[in-house]
């Protein structure tokens, strides 16, 4: 199995050289930290990943959770892992000191998740706990926080996000799980939830569900949904009538049980409301947005692990001769990394994975600023984050699937076997375009709301940021053509939006959004091109000012080469997408004639 699953050098390049994470310490909330503390916590996560996670990648996959006699058992290493990250303060890394956290920026917390998920995404437990605990601390009473959060952050208790029901997936307005008020202020919960990741297992002492339900008599639709804490066990240790009805056996990420839960089988499931009645969905969006960055990070991490496995294999696997030496049969075979098509596949993987990680760290940086800044800086960071969120979730997921597919292709027939990890990683990553809002939903959010909100202020802010990068790149002769190319792409985005806006003015939202997913793909390519140009500017300036040698020289030259690959191979795809997006011929909207058939 591949020994390398991520590049520490690339992670540090992005954090410290491109995004300058230590600049966040100028804000009072992060002032206790510096570059050294950031690196120490990343090293701690890497140690756990190296010792408790990556060595058990296959074991966890092949020994998936089982439901027997009402109890779900998981691989024993999961318990060791959760205990270790709890004791290391990793679950609560982003929480305030007074809540037992480390008060670290999301930039660092999300990179911790990247390291852990690259090592073994079959242990995807703690992100859910962290998100659930954050919901309680954000909206719960002091008593609720004191009762549940400490044991969630120390790893003794698991947290979940329990939204989906058999009849209500993305359409949360159709949630029917009910909550009946009780004299003591608690609620009796009745209903079912499905696909609840880490919804039951034996690696922690309790499972704390953050669950959507509808209080008796509440308004229909999303306005009538409330949020509840529903524990598996009550504080006295007695079962809370949360029944594990079944485990879904999945295509990938088999180490994490996806549960079907039933509440109120004995009319005795107790829940505790979080915040105000009927505000459950707005509250839950906090966790969902955090989870969307987490899903993007997970996808980037899986694709990164697959890329490094493919890169290692390509350097070692001899096959045939160089194309100009095919007739020299007495010459030794060459490593497949020397074949142009294999190099193309590897460069594609590098471009996707490192571009995705850069975008996600950008999103995490904006999240941090939106939380700790004030005034216009805070508002602008929030708007930019809101605009980039659908891309940060979907580009790493959709392109990550393609990247891992190319990783498998690099191995040839061996990639399709269990002898190498990429067949598992290919299965594992496929869920990420579905998690936390499918790509189609993200696309409708981007085009239907984010591009036009506040008179288009968010894209205006983004284009201004891109223009700053273009201006920086234009000062370097070697980068000017790529700066000009990105400038042309911004014009293309504006041209596409101009062609689509008449449909909005006419109130024809179905036509406007009919190719929203293609717009998301188109927009994502341009956004990641911006990220690559940002990296190229730093690499070019470092080469000019610091004269690096050896491995460092190769690293920076590799950045420039991959940026060029992205602009020459990926960016031209926008041409075809723009043609389709502006095409007046519509082929996917159902007409009355077709309904008659």
């Amino acid at each position: 199995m591949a020994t390398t699953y991520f590049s520490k050098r690339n992670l540090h390049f992005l954090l410290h050289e491109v995004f300058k994470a230590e600049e966040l310490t100028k804000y009072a909330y992060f002032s206790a930290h510096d570059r050294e503390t950031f690196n120490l916590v990343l090293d701690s996560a890497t140690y756990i990943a190296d010792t408790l996670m990556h060595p058990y990648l296959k074991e966890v996959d092949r020994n998936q959770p089982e439901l027997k006699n009402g109890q779900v058992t998981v691989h024993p290493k999961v318990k060791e892992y959760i205990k270790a990250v709890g004791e290391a303060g990793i679950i609560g890394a982003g929480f305030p000191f007074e809540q037992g956290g480390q008060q670290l920026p999301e930039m660092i917390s999300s990179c911790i998740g990247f390291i852990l998920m690259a090592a073994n995404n079959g242990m995807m437990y703690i992100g859910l706990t962290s998100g659930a605990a954050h919901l309680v601390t954000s909206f719960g009473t002091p008593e609720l926080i004191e009762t549940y959060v400490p044991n969630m952050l120390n790893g003794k208790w698991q947290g979940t996000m329990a939204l989906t029901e058999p009849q209500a997936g993305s359409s949360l307005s159709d949630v029917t799980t009910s909550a009946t008020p009780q004299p003591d202020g608690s609620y009796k919960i009745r209903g079912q939830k499905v696909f609840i990741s880490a919804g039951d297992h034996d690696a922690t002492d309790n499972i704390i569900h953050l669950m959507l339900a509808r209080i008796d008599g509440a308004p229909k639709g999303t306005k009538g949904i409330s949020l509840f804490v529903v524990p598996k066990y009550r504080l006295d240790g007695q079962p809370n009538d949360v029944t594990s009805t079944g485990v879904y056996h999945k295509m990938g990420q088999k180490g994490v049980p996806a549960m079907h839960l039933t509440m109120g089988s004995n009319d005795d499931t107790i829940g505790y409301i979080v915040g105000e009645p009927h505000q459950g969905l707005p509250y839950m969006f906090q966790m969902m947005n955090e989870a969307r960055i987490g899903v993007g990070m997970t996808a980037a991490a899986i694709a990164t692990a697959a890329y490094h496995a493919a890169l290692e294999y390509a350097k070692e696997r001899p096959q045939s001769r160089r194309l100009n030496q095919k007739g020299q049969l007495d010459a030794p075979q060459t490593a497949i990394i020397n074949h142009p098509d294999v190099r193309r596949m590897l460069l594609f993987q590098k471009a996707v994975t490192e571009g995705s990680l850069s975008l996600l760290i950008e999103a995490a940086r904006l999240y941090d600023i939106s939380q700790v800044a004030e005034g216009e800086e805070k508002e602008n960071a929030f708007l930019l984050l809101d605009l980039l969120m659908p891309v940060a979730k979907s580009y790493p997921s959709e392109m990550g699937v393609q990247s891992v597919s190319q990783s498998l292709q690099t191995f040839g027939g061996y990639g399709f076997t269990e002898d190498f990890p990429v067949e598992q990683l290919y299965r594992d990553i496929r869920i990420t375009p579905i998690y936390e809002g499918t790509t189609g939903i993200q696309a409708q959010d981007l085009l239907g709301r984010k591009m036009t909100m506040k008179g288009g202020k968010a894209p205006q802010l983004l284009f201004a940021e891109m223009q700053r990068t273009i201006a920086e790149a234009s000062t370097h002769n070697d980068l000017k053509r790529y700066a000009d190319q990105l400038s042309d792409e911004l014009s293309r985005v504006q041209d596409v939006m101009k062609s689509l806006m008449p449909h909005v003015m006419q109130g024809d939202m179905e036509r406007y959004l009919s190719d929203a997913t293609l717009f998301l793909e188109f927009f994502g390519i341009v956004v990641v091109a911006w990220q690559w140009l940002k990296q190229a500017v730093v690499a070019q300036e470092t080469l000019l000012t610091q004269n690096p040698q050896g491995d460092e020289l190769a690293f920076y030259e590799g950045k420039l080469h991959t940026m060029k690959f992205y602009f020459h191979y990926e960016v031209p795809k926008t041409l075809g997408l723009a043609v389709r997006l502006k095409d007046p011929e519509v082929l996917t909207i159902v007409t009355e004639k077709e309904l008659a058939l």
Side-chain angles (χ1 to χ4, degrees):
M1 188 169 74
T3 55
T4 301
Y5 52 90
F6 82 105
S7 167
K8 180 178 179 180
R9 181 66 187 90
N10 181 58
L11 189 62
H12 281 226
F13 168 73
L14 291 171
L15 276 175
H16 300 309
E17 298 176 56
V18 177
F19 293 105
K20 297 179 172 56
E22 51 270 31
E23 288 186 355
L24 288 173
T25 61
K26 71 181 182 183
Y27 299 101
Y29 185 79
F30 299 126
S31 61
H33 295 290
D34 55 24
R35 181 169 179 160
E36 183 179 1
T37 61
F38 291 164
N39 288 342
L40 282 172
V41 73
L42 293 174
D43 288 345
S44 176
T46 302
Y47 176 78
I48 292 171
D50 283 345
T51 58
L52 293 177
M53 300 179 72
H54 194 242
Y56 304 98
L57 178 68
K58 287 187 177 181
E59 272 191 43
V60 170
D61 177 69
R62 296 177 185 179
N63 297 277
Q64 57 185 303
E66 293 185 9
L67 173 60
K68 292 182 179 180
N69 301 319
Q71 178 62 56
V72 178
T73 58
V74 296
H75 194 284
K77 282 295 173 183
V78 173
K79 186 170 186 176
E80 291 184 42
Y81 159 63
I82 295 176
K83 182 174 185 291
V85 291
E87 292 176 349
I90 286 175
I91 300 175
F95 283 70
F97 292 132
E98 59 267 25
Q99 293 173 356
Q102 296 193 56
Q103 210 156 301
L104 284 163
E106 179 63 21
M107 284 180 74
I108 305 303
S109 297
S110 61
C111 287
I112 291 170
F114 172 77
I115 294 168
L116 300 179
M117 291 300 94
N120 189 341
N121 76 101
M123 294 183 173
M124 189 185 65
Y125 289 76
I126 66 167
L128 295 162
T129 300
S130 178
H134 191 201
L135 269 182
V136 178
T137 60
S138 296
F139 307 110
T141 62
E143 180 183 9
L144 208 60
I145 295 169
E146 183 180 352
T147 300
Y148 290 99
V149 171
N151 281 332
M152 295 172 77
L153 298 188
N154 66 26
K156 292 181 180 178
W157 292 354
Q158 171 75 49
T160 80
M161 180 167 59
L163 287 70
T164 306
E165 298 179 6
Q167 80 295 335
S170 301
S171 177
L172 292 174
S173 60
D174 295 319
V175 162
T176 60
T177 295
S178 65
T180 302
Q182 301 300 298
D184 64 356
S186 66
Y187 291 77
K188 282 198 172 183
I189 309 296
R190 301 176 187 83
Q192 297 183 62
K193 297 291 179 179
V194 296
F195 302 134
I196 309 305
S197 295
D200 191 15
H201 58 82
D202 60 348
T204 57
D205 296 334
N206 203 353
I207 313 289
I208 312 302
H209 304 289
L210 272 291
M211 187 175 296
L212 294 182
R214 197 179 298 278
I215 298 172
D216 293 347
K220 293 182 180 180
T222 57
K223 294 182 179 180
I225 295 174
S226 300
L227 180 64
F228 298 87
V229 165
V230 182
K232 177 182 178 181
Y233 295 109
R234 299 176 186 175
L235 297 179
D236 61 5
Q238 294 301 306
N240 192 33
D241 194 22
V242 178
T243 304
S244 292
T245 308
V247 178
Y248 292 97
H249 294 288
K250 303 175 292 181
M251 174 179 171
Q253 292 192 339
K254 294 187 176 183
V256 185
M259 298 305 304
H260 182 167
L261 304 174
T262 302
M263 285 65 65
S265 297
N266 300 310
D267 196 27
D268 199 25
T269 304
I270 300 299
Y272 307 93
I273 195 165
V274 179
E276 298 296 322
H278 317 319
Q279 295 300 310
L281 200 57
Y283 295 161
M284 188 61 82
F285 270 117
Q286 171 184 286
M287 187 174 180
M288 289 174 69
N289 280 332
E290 292 171 359
R292 283 167 179 167
I293 293 179
V295 170
M297 271 295 184
T298 298
I302 296 170
T304 296
Y307 162 62
H308 282 285
L311 179 62
E312 185 175 307
Y313 180 81
K315 290 177 178 178
E316 297 172 351
R317 168 66 166 163
Q319 186 71 264
S320 190
R321 286 107 192 139
R322 298 284 293 270
L323 292 175
N324 288 340
Q325 301 169 336
K326 293 286 286 184
Q328 300 176 18
L329 300 181
D330 57 343
Q333 291 185 321
T334 188
I336 63 172
I337 197 170
N338 294 320
H339 297 313
D341 193 57
V342 173
R343 294 186 75 82
R344 178 192 58 79
M345 290 190 289
L346 291 170
L347 281 164
F348 172 76
Q349 295 165 56
K350 182 177 173 67
V352 166
T353 56
E354 296 182 6
S356 293
L357 182 57
S358 183
L359 170 61
L360 288 157
I361 295 176
E362 178 87 66
R365 183 186 69 86
L366 291 169
Y367 176 88
D368 288 325
I369 295 172
S370 73
Q371 298 299 303
V372 300
E374 297 178 355
E376 186 178 16
E377 183 186 21
K378 182 185 185 75
E379 180 187 355
N380 288 350
F382 181 81
L383 280 172
L384 278 169
L385 175 64
D386 212 21
L387 175 66
L388 290 176
M389 187 68 73
V391 186
K393 190 272 179 183
S394 298
Y395 182 93
S397 301
E398 290 287 358
M399 295 305 294
V401 171
Q402 294 185 38
S403 181
V404 179
S405 178
Q406 292 295 285
S407 301
L408 194 152
Q409 190 78 9
T410 304
F411 280 84
Y414 285 111
F416 203 63
T417 72
E418 294 182 350
D419 297 335
F420 294 93
V422 286
E423 67 84 23
Q424 176 185 335
L425 297 174
Y426 189 55
R427 290 186 282 106
D428 287 346
I429 199 171
R430 188 56 189 86
I431 186 62
T432 59
I434 299 172
Y435 273 149
E436 307 310 332
T438 62
T439 301
I441 288 173
Q442 302 299 328
Q444 290 185 31
D445 182 40
L446 174 65
L447 186 58
R449 188 169 73 88
K450 304 294 178 62
M451 293 298 293
T452 56
M453 64 182 180
K454 294 193 173 183
K457 184 177 180 180
Q460 291 170 19
L461 288 170
L462 179 62
F463 293 167
E465 289 290 321
M466 290 183 173
Q467 289 291 358
R468 276 190 277 275
T469 303
I470 289 168
E472 291 176 359
S474 295
T475 64
H476 299 283
N477 290 333
D478 291 343
L479 300 182
K480 190 176 187 310
R481 63 175 295 185
Y482 303 105
D484 291 342
Q485 191 174 350
L486 182 56
S487 183
D488 290 342
E489 291 301 323
L490 295 188
S491 297
R492 201 182 321 279
V493 172
Q494 293 167 331
D495 186 43
V496 167
M497 285 301 300
K498 184 178 179 180
S499 72
L500 292 174
M501 286 309 295
H503 303 301
V504 178
M505 304 302 292
Q506 296 164 13
D508 191 354
M509 293 304 292
E510 188 169 24
R511 173 63 185 90
Y512 176 61
L513 296 174
S514 60
D515 282 328
T517 298
L518 298 185
F519 181 84
L520 174 59
E521 180 183 354
F522 166 66
F523 193 70
I525 292 171
V526 177
V527 168
V528 174
W530 167 50
Q531 291 298 307
W532 268 112
L533 195 59
K534 288 182 78 164
Q535 294 184 59
V537 168
V538 175
Q540 185 68 40
E541 291 178 350
T542 303
L543 288 170
L544 291 173
T545 61
Q546 298 183 20
N547 192 30
Q549 301 294 315
D551 290 343
E552 284 293 284
L553 175 62
F555 176 82
Y556 290 110
E557 288 183 338
K559 280 293 179 184
L560 292 173
H561 191 75
T562 310
M563 179 277 295
K564 292 177 181 179
F565 176 89
Y566 189 86
F567 272 82
H568 286 280
Y569 279 77
E570 292 300 300
V571 173
K573 294 176 181 177
T574 62
L575 296 171
L577 289 165
V579 168
R580 173 55 244 167
L581 287 163
K582 294 190 294 182
D583 193 335
E585 185 74 30
V586 180
L587 300 171
T588 56
I589 296 177
V590 176
T591 65
E592 291 183 9
K593 180 179 179 181
E594 288 169 325
L595 285 173
L597 294 175

